[in-house]
């Protein structure tokens, strides 16, 4: 039995490195319950760089222990992911568990999934069909 669980509000770091920075990881938040097929929607958090960033959901430092500088939800990197993949990543320490996000923050993130023009259409369709 796994010590980890995939549940709404869970947060963890997932590798997202580039050739210039291969060890980089981004925070992801589980935004939906696992459905009957074992999948959930994840949203990515990134540091605010400039006004070209998606302003749908800006995050202040301290809104989560991992968020130490101005950040935002990178809705264009939102995705539908299978829970088994997430659990395997956590069990193998490829993904790093973080504290769950607070309910208020979770609601802000979830609200923006349908509002942002950058959320992938597959994620929007999934959300509309599974609510």
């Amino acid at each position: 039995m796994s010590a980890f669980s995939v549940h709404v509000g869970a947060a963890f770091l997932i590798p997202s490195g580039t050739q210039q920075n291969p060890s980089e990881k981004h925070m992801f938040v589980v935004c939906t319950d696992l459905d009957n097929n074992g999948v959930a929607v994840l949203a990515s958090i990134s540091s605010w760089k400039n006004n070209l960033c998606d302003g749908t959901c800006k995050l202040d430092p301290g809104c989560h222990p991992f968020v130490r500088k101005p950040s935002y939800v990178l809705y264009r990197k939102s995705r539908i992911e299978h829970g088994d993949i997430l659990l395997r990543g956590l069990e193998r320490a490829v993904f790093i568990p973080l504290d769950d996000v607070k309910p208020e923050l979770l609601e802000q993130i979830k609200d923006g999934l349908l509002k942002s023009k950058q959320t992938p259409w597959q994620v929007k369709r999934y959300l509309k069909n599974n609510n």
Side-chain angles (χ1 to χ4, degrees):
M1 184 163 149
S2 173
F4 304 108
S5 70
V6 176
H7 57 275
V8 175
F12 36 84
L13 298 178
I14 294 179
S16 57
T18 62
Q19 286 184 337
Q20 295 80 16
N21 189 0
S23 63
E24 185 175 34
K25 293 177 173 59
H26 277 91
M27 177 178 166
F28 279 79
V29 176
V30 179
C31 296
T32 62
D33 288 315
L34 293 172
D35 68 10
N36 292 337
N37 295 315
V39 300
V41 171
L42 305 181
S44 177
I45 309 299
S46 187
S47 299
W48 183 269
K49 292 163 187 62
N50 57 46
N51 286 335
L52 296 176
C53 295
D54 183 349
T56 304
C57 187
K58 293 182 181 180
L59 306 176
D60 293 324
C63 67
H64 182 274
F66 184 75
V67 179
R68 295 182 205 95
K69 55 187 173 181
S71 299
Y72 72 109
V73 180
L74 183 59
Y75 287 110
R76 68 183 172 85
K77 294 288 186 176
S78 298
R79 61 195 205 203
I80 301 164
E81 192 68 75
H82 205 282
D84 286 347
I85 291 171
L86 299 174
L87 286 174
R88 277 197 302 274
L90 289 163
E91 289 167 350
R92 294 177 182 163
V94 174
F95 303 163
I96 300 168
L98 298 171
D99 292 342
D100 287 2
V101 298
K102 293 180 181 173
E104 310 83 48
L105 178 57
L106 178 62
E107 287 309 309
Q108 287 179 309
I109 294 169
K110 288 170 61 174
D111 287 347
L113 280 165
L114 291 175
K115 290 179 184 173
S116 176
K117 293 179 181 177
Q118 294 188 15
T119 303
W121 65 267
Q122 299 93 330
V123 171
K124 285 186 176 186
R125 184 178 65 193
Y126 176 86
L127 292 169
K128 289 176 183 175
N129 291 336
N130 291 284
N131 273 339

